Amino acid sequence: MQFQWYPGHMTKAKRQMQEDLKLIDLVIELVDARVPLSSRNPDIDELGKNKARLILMNKADLADEKKTELFRRYFKSLGYFVVCIDARSKSGMKVIQNEIMEACREKIERDRRRGIKNRPVRAMVVGIPNVGKSTFINTFAGKACAKTGNRPGVTKGKQWIRLNKSVELLDTPGILWPKFEDQKVGLRLAFIGSIRDEILNTDELSLELLTFLMQNYPGTVAQRYGIEEDADAAETLGAIAVARNCRSKGDEVDYSKAAAIVMDEFRSGKIGRFTLEAPE
């Protein structure tokens, strides 16, 4: 499978982000804890290179805990402030305000020396589609001030959100980069739902996912579906189809229905907690 998705509004969003950065003290980047590297947009490092940086590893409840800790240390070693969160359940959210203040300590001290008091930190929230930016903002702000959706591309425009006296947030649409240099990155993003399912072959995608899980987390698929794992992913998918009674009108085994179940249950964490890559 070839992965490419770069709607026109994302080019416009990137240009707008370049303009907005002139107003910003801090870039808050959300990544998906299951794919912390693949869910980072390399453009954002270039755009925000002179700004304070905070990485939020969201959906940490769906990721492999040991690998999440490895990634947390890895990002900190590169000079980022890092917090692992689950925006939906509010896990990890309490420490974010302090991390923002710590990340912007130099800016706050600089303002104080100039006699500027009580100017809030202005933070831009960035991230690729479907990493949970809107859910994070709504949870952090304590009210539904940003649209949320479980499909990529819900946030289309920009909006300023006053959180408290200390922090203002600028929400931005999720942007992917124009070209995936490594198709494995595209595959991982397809796994987690950051590329629209409508342009993907879900049957093939589920086979790729099953292959990865059986090689890297042996036994988890068997345990979830009460089957024997087979070295051949197609055979395993067939076993899942039988176990879940996925049948077409002619009482044929419905592989597509089984594939959709596998993708949905992986993304919702029902199969288990997985991380799809390792720190560089």
Side-chain angles (χ1 to χ4, degrees), residues 49-62:
K49 60 186 176 183
N50 297 318
K51 305 294 180 180
R53 300 291 300 277
L54 170 61
I55 290 179
L56 301 181
M57 293 178 60
N58 193 26
K59 305 187 183 182
D61 60 310
L62 301 176

Side-chain angles (χ1 to χ4, degrees), residues 228-249:
E228 293 291 328
E229 289 182 5
D230 194 288
D232 181 77
E235 292 291 332
T236 298
L237 183 63
I240 292 170
V242 172
R244 288 298 178 90
N245 198 29
C246 299
R247 299 283 180 180
S248 61
K249 288 183 179 179

Side-chain angles (χ1 to χ4, degrees), residues 55 90 92 114 144:
I55 290 179
K90 302 183 181 180
R114 294 173 177 170

Side-chain angles (χ1 to χ4, degrees), residues 172-195:
T172 60
I175 58 171
L176 289 172
W177 49 107
K179 182 182 179 183
F180 296 128
E181 299 295 336
D182 183 352
Q183 284 295 304
K184 288 182 181 178
V185 170
L187 180 63
R188 294 178 191 126
L189 295 180
F191 284 159
I192 67 168
S194 285
I195 300 174

Side-chain angles (χ1 to χ4, degrees), residues 201-207 209-210 225 237-238 240-241 244 246 254-267 271:
N201 184 321
T202 304
D203 292 10
E204 287 185 33
L205 197 62
S206 70
L207 294 176
L209 178 62
L210 286 171
Y225 297 104
L237 183 63
I240 292 170
R244 288 298 178 90
C246 299
D254 191 335
Y255 288 91
S256 294
K257 187 174 181 180
I261 288 172
V262 168
M263 295 311 305
D264 179 67
E265 295 196 349
F266 165 75
R267 290 171 181 169
I271 300 176

Side-chain angles (χ1 to χ4, degrees), residues 56-103:
L56 301 181
M57 293 178 60
N58 193 26
K59 305 187 183 182
D61 60 310
L62 301 176
D64 181 322
E65 290 179 276
K66 291 181 180 178
K67 289 186 178 177
T68 296
E69 177 58 21
L70 288 176
F71 270 110
R72 189 188 69 81
R73 294 178 186 177
Y74 169 71
F75 286 136
K76 285 185 75 71
S77 74
L78 297 179
Y80 299 102
F81 289 82
V82 188
V83 181
C84 302
I85 66 170
D86 171 24
R88 289 175 305 171
S89 70
K90 302 183 181 180
S91 173
M93 298 291 290
K94 290 182 179 179
V95 303
I96 292 176
Q97 177 81 18
N98 288 340
E99 289 292 313
I100 289 174
M101 294 296 104
E102 186 64 27

